[in-house]
Amino acid sequence: AGLAPTFQSLRVNLSDSLKGRQSTLGGGSLLRGFLIGAQIALSFVLLFGAWLAVHTIQKMSGANPGFETRHVLFAQMYVRDKSAEQRSWPARRRMLTARLEALPGVQSVAYASRRLFDYRSLFEIQVPGQAARQAAMNWVSPNFFDTLGITIVSGRAFGAGDPSCGIGACPVVVSQKLAREFWPDADPLGKTFRDFQGNTLEVIGVARDVLTQRLDAPDDPVIYAKWNPNAGPEIHQPFVRFSGDEAVITRSFDP
């Protein structure tokens, strides 16, 4: 829009201008009017886009995702030789936990098979008397909910005496969304269902929904199962809850 008058001036007939005949001004004025209108319209579009971006950022800053977003760090682990790590994983896990807990400001260390913002694979589960449905699975350590600040709204979290999934009824904690969809008119505590491997799962607690994929809707139904500390390292990702300055603990962490 700013260059159009410049290009137009290059086409002006100086002889006609000196004689007072400027027949091209009418068309030029029409073009300038069109460009000014287009520039004003584009300015309104840009202003609306800027307002929408600021509004979205404010909404994200004030949104409650259902878990602690500050003072919690996630440590990604990479294992080269999984077969060797599998045999020595219990000892290595204890050593890793001790090293993390020894860092200044660390309050707790928890483990989970999935990070919060990872894409979650859905598996079919079967509730007695209902059609098969899908839910996400996450194997977590007993202190996972306390470390991430996820509230248990009903029932309880895992205890030290709860068995891992395998033989017999497996205690699980389910998300609020799963409880609402599967048992809308009943108390989910004590309910049983089967997972994709045929294990029997028994609900001992209901955890608050978390929002990791969208800010306006909770995640897909989630089943939290108690981890097996003797399993391989690929399903044990550590979460660290700390106090104080984040920069201090990240500098202290030695990968």
Side-chain angles (χ1 to χ4, degrees):
L3 291 175
T6 303
F7 293 143
Q8 182 184 357
S9 67
L10 297 177
R11 297 194 300 269
V12 173
N13 190 320
L14 294 179
S15 178
D16 291 341
S17 298
L18 292 174
K19 295 177 182 179
R21 298 195 299 269
Q22 300 180 6
S23 59
T24 58
L25 287 179
S29 298
L30 181 63
L31 177 61
R32 282 194 297 270
F34 172 78
L35 291 174
I36 291 173
Q39 188 171 6
I40 292 175
L42 183 59
S43 298
F44 275 110
V45 172
L46 294 176
L47 287 173
F48 176 76
W51 172 84
L52 186 62
V54 172
H55 179 71
T56 302
I57 293 174
Q58 290 177 340
K59 184 177 180 181
M60 292 177 62
S61 300
N64 188 346
F67 60 92
E68 181 61 57
T69 59
R70 300 179 180 179
H71 300 293
V72 175
L73 292 177
F74 167 75
Q76 178 69 58
M77 293 193 303
Y78 298 94
V79 180
R80 295 181 180 178
D81 186 358
K82 293 184 179 181
S83 60
E85 290 284 348
Q86 176 71 32
R87 294 189 297 269
S88 60
W89 173 241
R92 290 178 177 270
R93 177 186 58 80
R94 290 192 295 269
M95 181 179 65
L96 175 63
T97 302
R99 288 184 60 186
L100 292 175
E101 291 177 341
L103 295 178
V106 170
Q107 297 175 329
S108 63
V109 178
Y111 293 88
S113 62
R114 294 187 182 274
R115 292 175 291 183
L116 290 180
F117 293 95
D118 275 351
Y119 172 76
R120 298 182 178 219
S121 300
L122 300 179
F123 303 95
E124 281 196 353
I125 60 175
Q126 182 68 57
V127 178
Q130 299 183 19
R133 304 195 186 197
Q134 291 188 326
M137 293 285 293
N138 195 3
W139 284 264
V140 301
S141 60
N143 61 340
F144 172 80
F145 301 102
D146 289 337
T147 300
L148 272 75
I150 300 177
T151 305
I152 301 296
V153 298
S154 179
R156 63 178 179 86
F158 298 114
D162 290 323
S164 302
C165 288
I167 302 176
C170 168
V172 295
V173 175
V174 300
S175 64
Q176 289 177 295
K177 185 173 183 179
L178 188 147
R180 287 193 302 267
E181 292 184 0
F182 290 19
W183 303 283
D185 301 319
D187 185 358
L189 298 180
K191 299 292 185 181
T192 60
F193 56 96
R194 290 187 177 274
D195 65 6
F196 60 97
Q197 294 179 330
N199 297 318
T200 300
L201 312 180
E202 180 180 354
V203 180
I204 63 171
V206 178
R208 181 179 180 178
D209 284 331
V210 296
L211 286 71
T212 64
Q213 309 300 317
R214 298 174 53 186
L215 290 177
D216 58 347
D219 292 350
D220 293 320
V222 183
I223 301 170
Y224 300 96
K226 186 180 178 183
W227 75 327
N228 179 3
N230 296 319
E234 67 275 3
I235 67 169
H236 295 138
Q237 309 298 335
F239 292 85
V240 179
R241 185 177 183 86
F242 66 95
S243 61
D245 186 8
E246 178 180 347
V248 175
I249 189 172
T250 51
R251 287 196 301 267
S252 302
F253 185 79
D254 181 12

